[in-house]
């Protein structure tokens, strides 16, 4: 059999001693497509509606594209004050108004150190694109917010009223980002009504 056939087009490489290993030239495809978004609210235009500075930046579906985008652009420590990075499933907009988010909510954690936000953001991104959540269908995406007072990270999910699913996601997320303090889940519906909506679930 020809080498190309054995390696599925990837080619074979000699490791010395006659041993042959597959040399993969194919990019490593992810389970689904994801989109990075960016919202710079540092110079808000007077009277501008929320979301007017929100921009869709890049959609990717390979591990290689992810690392390239993350390394070069999407690190929260590169953000100036009052700006957000989002990574959402392609097709879902990071807004309460999106049909997939409309009945949802978010788990939130705060971070007082920049380096910590970068680490939690990266750990969360890897868990999302690596499909590490059992309830991955329930996930919309993640938002990193750089603020003067305190940086924040929020994991947006779809069905806020499903307490069992949300608490399971919240517990798993805490493990992933290595947080032991209690975290809170708030409903977008509540946030729409009042700025400091109380949390509905804790884990
Ligand atoms: P936020 O940024 O989610 O809250 O929303 P936070 O982080 O507590 O506040 P911040 O001041 O530190 O940013 C802040 C405000 O932005 C909300 O009270 C809404 O007025 C508006 N807003 C936020 N989101 C996510 C949305 C949204 O998805 N849709 C609309 N219409 N407004 C939003």
């Amino acid at each position: 059999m020809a080498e190309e056939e054995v390696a599925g087009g990837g080619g074979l490489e000699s490791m010395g001693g006659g041993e042959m290993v597959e040399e993969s030239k194919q990019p490593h495809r992810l389970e689904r497509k994801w989109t990075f978004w960016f919202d710079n609210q540092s110079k808000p235009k007077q009277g501008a509606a929320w979301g007017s500075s929100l921009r869709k930046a890049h959609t990717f579906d390979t591990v290689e594209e992810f690392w390239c985008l993350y390394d070069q652009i999407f690190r929260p420590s590169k953000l100036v004050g009052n700006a957000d990075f989002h990574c959402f499933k392609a097709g879902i907009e990071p807004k309460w108004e999106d049909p997939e988010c409309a009945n949802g909510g978010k788990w939130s954690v705060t971070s007082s150190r920049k380096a910590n936000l970068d680490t939690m953001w990266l750990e969360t991104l890897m868990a999302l694109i690596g499909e590490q959540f059992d309830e991955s269908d329930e996930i919309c995406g993640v938002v990193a917010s750089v603020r003067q007072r305190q940086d924040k990270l929020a994991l947006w999910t779809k069905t806020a009223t499903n307490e069992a699913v949300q608490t399971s996601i919240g517990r798993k997320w805490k493990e992933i980002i290595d947080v032991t303090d209690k975290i809170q889940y708030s409903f977008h519906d509540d946030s729409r009504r009042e700025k400091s909506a109380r949390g509905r679930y804790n884990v």
Side-chain angles (χ1 to χ4, degrees), residues 48-182:
W50 181 90
S52 55
S53 53
L54 180 64
R55 300 279 178 274
K56 190 192 268 190
H58 287 281
T59 296
F60 62 96
D61 68 349
T62 68
V63 174
E64 289 76 5
E65 284 172 290
F66 165 72
W67 280 118
C68 183
L69 292 166
Y70 172 79
D71 266 349
Q72 294 183 16
I73 313 171
F74 296 100
R75 284 180 203 247
S77 57
K78 292 188 178 188
L79 281 173
V80 289
N82 257 11
D84 293 349
F85 277 150
H86 317 67
C87 184
F88 271 57
K89 286 178 179 165
I92 303 183
E93 300 202 338
K95 301 174 176 172
W96 305 331
E97 291 80 359
D98 185 281
E100 298 282 340
C101 303
N103 300 311
K106 62 178 184 185
W107 285 107
S108 308
V109 290
T110 54
S111 163
S112 46
R113 288 183 17 246
K114 297 275 171 228
N116 198 26
L117 182 67
D118 269 8
T119 308
M120 293 196 297
W121 165 249
L122 178 58
E123 295 293 340
T124 307
L125 291 177
M126 290 198 296
L128 293 182
I129 66 172
E131 306 289 335
Q132 284 175 34
F133 288 93
D134 291 337
E135 308 83 356
S136 58
D137 281 355
E138 263 294 316
I139 307 270
C140 296
V142 59
V143 187
S145 305
V146 173
R147 298 286 184 274
Q148 207 103 61
R149 289 163 283 134
Q150 212 169 28
D151 297 336
K152 286 176 292 191
L153 200 62
L155 185 66
W156 284 35
T157 64
K158 281 185 197 170
T159 321
T161 49
N162 192 335
E163 182 170 0
V165 166
Q166 303 318 333
T167 50
S168 165
I169 291 174
R171 284 198 188 97
K172 174 80 181 183
W173 192 39
K174 280 179 68 170
E175 274 173 43
I176 289 165
I177 56 179
D178 201 15
V179 163
T180 46
D181 292 346
K182 285 249 180 262

